[in-house]
Amino acid sequence: MQQLHFEDAWNRTISNEDRLDIKKIFEQTKKDAEDGVTFVPVRTAVNHRNDLLITTLIHNFQSEETDLTNINIQLFQDNKQIASQYIEESRLCFPAKTSMPWTFIFPEMGDENKRNVPYSLKVGH
């Protein structure tokens, strides 16, 4: 059975409204199980440095632990890859059948006019 997990820093700092939004998205998408790892968009934002912040719900539908601690993450818009970056993050290792929210930061890619444009993320090779 798929379980929702909040990383410790998220658990301490997330607002009640954001927690409810993520729980709602989790409930809506946890049954979309594919045997693998999927990224469900939650929201986008642009920070003061013009970085694009992509918050996603990462589903590990596998029956084994997923290690995303060293990954190449690809950012897509309209099915076209617009960015790719290598990420080293020790907190992106989580158990089987677990979902966890995470925000990926794409430096200097922000555009306030495109905040509501749909993005998708994939693990690259």
Side-chain angles (χ1 to χ4, degrees):
M1 182 173 187
Q2 198 73 17
Q3 294 185 349
L4 179 60
H5 171 75
F6 288 90
E7 190 270 332
D8 288 339
W10 276 72
N11 221 14
R12 289 189 311 271
T13 61
I14 191 169
S15 71
N16 286 336
E17 182 180 347
D18 286 347
R19 184 182 299 274
L20 289 174
D21 286 347
I22 289 169
K23 284 182 177 182
K24 180 180 175 184
I25 291 168
F26 171 74
E27 289 299 325
Q28 292 171 343
T29 61
K30 71 180 183 181
K31 293 179 176 75
D32 297 340
E34 299 173 11
D35 189 29
V37 176
T38 61
F39 298 86
V40 177
V42 174
R43 79 173 46 87
T44 62
V46 176
N47 69 12
H48 65 283
R49 290 187 308 260
N50 208 36
D51 300 335
L52 179 62
L53 312 174
I54 306 288
T55 301
T56 64
L57 182 59
I58 304 171
H59 287 299
N60 174 18
F61 291 126
Q62 300 177 112
S63 56
E64 57 203 34
E65 179 180 272
T66 292
D67 184 352
L68 300 177
T69 57
N70 297 295
I71 61 169
N72 182 29
I73 193 82
Q74 298 172 336
L75 176 65
F76 290 82
Q77 184 180 47
D78 297 325
N79 294 319
K80 181 180 176 186
Q81 183 179 329
I82 61 170
S84 178
Q85 68 176 310
Y86 184 75
I87 297 173
E88 294 182 49
E89 177 52 69
S90 62
R91 295 173 290 176
L92 286 176
C93 187
F94 45 101
K97 304 293 183 188
T98 300
S99 301
M100 183 173 74
W102 195 259
T103 298
F104 293 96
I105 301 170
F106 292 87
E108 300 177 10
M109 296 251 342
D111 183 344
E112 283 293 331
N113 297 323
K114 293 185 177 180
R115 266 179 57 159
N116 295 320
V117 174
Y119 292 95
S120 61
L121 294 171
K122 296 180 182 173
V123 175
H125 302 288

